[in-house]
Amino acid sequence: MNHLLKLLDLSSEEIIDILNLADQLKYEQKHGIPHNTLKGMTLGMIFQKASTRTRVSFETGMYQLGGHALFLSSKELQIGRGEPVQDTARVLSRYVNGIMIRTFEQEEVENLAHYGTVPIINGLTDFCHPCQVLADLQTVREYKNKLDGLNMCYIGDGNNMANSLTVGCLKVGMNVSLACPNDYRPDAKVLEFAKEYKNFKLVTDPKEAATDADVLFTDVWASMGQEGEAEKRRIAFKGYQINDDIMKLAKSDAMVLHCLPAHREEEITAKVFEQHAAEIFDEAENRLHAQKAVMVRLIAPEK
Ligand code: CP
Ligand code: NVA
């Protein structure tokens, strides 16, 4: 693994290896065992969109690994004034040991990897959110002690989260059921990948997807960059909500996860959110551990 651009690029073994390392780093951090694997290293973090979790977990994670992270807002970089990403990649590669980028087009991330000479980590694009899904899988495995054979359900927009969850969950052997409105299905590349799996189902009825679920996911109806469509989407996604009726159809010990930020009473009711807050905030914490594992695998000198 040279970059983390999208989960489609990773083998099942590479995903499990990251989850195992994430568990180990979490244990070490909780027990005060130092792990300065990235001493003297710098991560550049380019943000073209807002962030709470991604920024803070990468910055803190890099510090805990003995390294340093630079927050680079695109508004303040020359990128914001039109300097091409190809040039930015080649310049930053001369200074830093790895680059995390959150942006719109997946192509921009792939371009960074093509032109840069350091590992590139996708911190969310319109296409996918691989770091989030690694943390999600770590959380599911913590609660359920396994991944293989679990029934996952995703209700809502066929967006970056739906894309990465579909790929990540299928690669680790989970049964994947998605409920999305017809006009908001996951990306064609993801559906092409998923169609090889007999344990993949894409439906329009949230109740059908939720039946017998071990873990339910949802995400906002309007993602970053889609604020102008919010009203139209509120109508299109009506009923695509995790609520008591949906939870009655899932297994009695089902988990609920949400990448956050959450819009209560839209994609999830406040009641279900609070009932599952322990899981959801463990999931948020695991961004830290999962991303530290990614950085160690990609940036550590002895890799
Ligand atoms: N889940 C997630 O990526 O959160 P942020 O947008 O706050 O980084
Ligand atoms: N789908 C959301 C995820 C946020 C973490 C977005 O792209 O805004």
Side-chain angles (χ1 to χ4, degrees):
M1 185 170 96
N2 296 320
H3 303 284
L4 176 59
L5 308 180
K6 54 187 181 300
L7 292 181
L8 281 170
D9 299 336
L10 268 57
S11 66
S12 307
E13 293 73 28
E14 283 171 322
I15 294 176
I16 298 295
D17 170 62
I18 291 168
L19 301 185
N20 292 343
L21 181 57
D23 286 349
Q24 182 195 321
L25 292 169
K26 183 169 182 173
Y27 177 87
E28 289 177 1
Q29 195 229 326
K30 300 274 180 209
H31 292 82
I33 303 166
H35 39 231
N36 297 329
T37 333
L38 299 183
K39 192 165 186 301
M41 305 279 174
T42 301
L43 178 77
M45 308 189 298
I46 304 175
F47 282 93
Q48 309 233 36
K49 291 176 175 170
S51 171
T52 297
R53 281 143 288 267
T54 305
R55 177 184 176 178
V56 179
S57 55
F58 266 107
E59 197 163 326
T60 308
M62 196 58 187
Y63 175 73
Q64 290 175 1
L65 290 166
H68 172 65
L70 283 171
F71 173 70
L72 305 167
S73 161
S74 62
K75 286 193 204 86
E76 285 142 37
L77 289 173
Q78 297 285 8
I79 273 188
R81 297 178 55 247
E83 184 170 19
V85 75
Q86 300 91 296
D87 295 358
T88 307
R90 284 177 284 194
V91 171
L92 291 183
S93 294
R94 304 290 179 111
Y95 306 136
V96 301
N97 306 95
I99 301 172
M100 194 286 302
I101 178 166
R102 164 168 288 197
T103 189
F104 295 87
E105 299 285 323
Q106 178 69 16
E107 202 187 344
E108 202 171 325
V109 178
E110 308 270 345
N111 266 336
L112 261 189
H114 183 73
Y115 287 95
T117 53
V118 295
I120 306 297
I121 301 170
N122 183 340
L124 180 145
T125 58
D126 293 345
F127 174 63
C128 66
H129 199 0
C131 293
Q132 178 68 55
V133 170
L134 291 170
D136 294 357
L137 294 175
Q138 185 187 7
T139 314
V140 174
R141 200 170 68 163
E142 277 175 352
Y143 276 80
K144 300 287 182 192
N145 291 313
K146 64 172 190 172
L147 292 169
D148 191 36
L150 291 179
N151 299 333
M152 87 73 112
C153 156
Y154 174 90
I155 294 175
D157 189 15
N159 61 11
N160 42 16
M161 279 305 301
N163 289 335
S164 286
L165 280 168
T166 300
V167 175
C169 291
L170 285 173
K171 283 197 179 205
V172 298
M174 293 169 77
N175 305 313
V176 173
S177 293
L178 264 56
C180 308
N182 270 329
D183 291 341
Y184 297 91
R185 291 153 61 95
D187 189 273
K189 281 190 289 300
V190 169
L191 295 180
E192 185 62 27
F193 164 83
K195 78 169 198 244
E196 304 299 326
Y197 288 80
K198 284 195 289 290
N199 51 342
F200 171 74
K201 192 164 77 174
L202 172 61
V203 296
T204 52
D205 179 4
K207 291 199 167 93
E208 189 180 342
T211 301
D212 289 331
D214 293 291
V215 50
L216 298 97
F217 293 88
T218 187
D219 188 16
V220 290
W221 292 342
S223 286
M224 289 181 275
Q226 298 170 336
E227 290 79 5
E229 295 176 24
E231 201 42 54
K232 178 178 147 208
R233 285 172 168 267
R234 229 169 259 135
I235 296 162
F237 287 102
K238 199 168 181 315
Y240 286 81
Q241 182 188 64
I242 300 189
N243 53 33
D244 282 345
D245 288 344
I246 287 291
M247 293 309 295
K248 277 186 202 126
L249 298 165
K251 288 193 182 154
S252 55
D253 61 349
M255 306 171 65
V256 175
L257 294 179
H258 193 306
C259 63
L260 304 175
H263 289 190
R264 288 163 175 79
E265 307 310 329
E266 290 195 1
E267 74 275 5
I268 188 165
T269 58
K271 185 175 167 207
V272 173
F273 184 94
E274 290 306 332
Q275 280 167 341
H276 292 271
E279 293 140 40
I280 292 169
F281 291 102
D282 279 344
E283 175 190 17
E285 177 187 326
N286 283 339
R287 295 293 304 279
L288 173 69
H289 310 297
Q291 288 158 197
K292 282 168 75 178
V294 169
M295 291 192 285
V296 169
R297 279 292 174 262
L298 291 178
I299 305 174
E302 68 273 20
K303 84 176 164 84

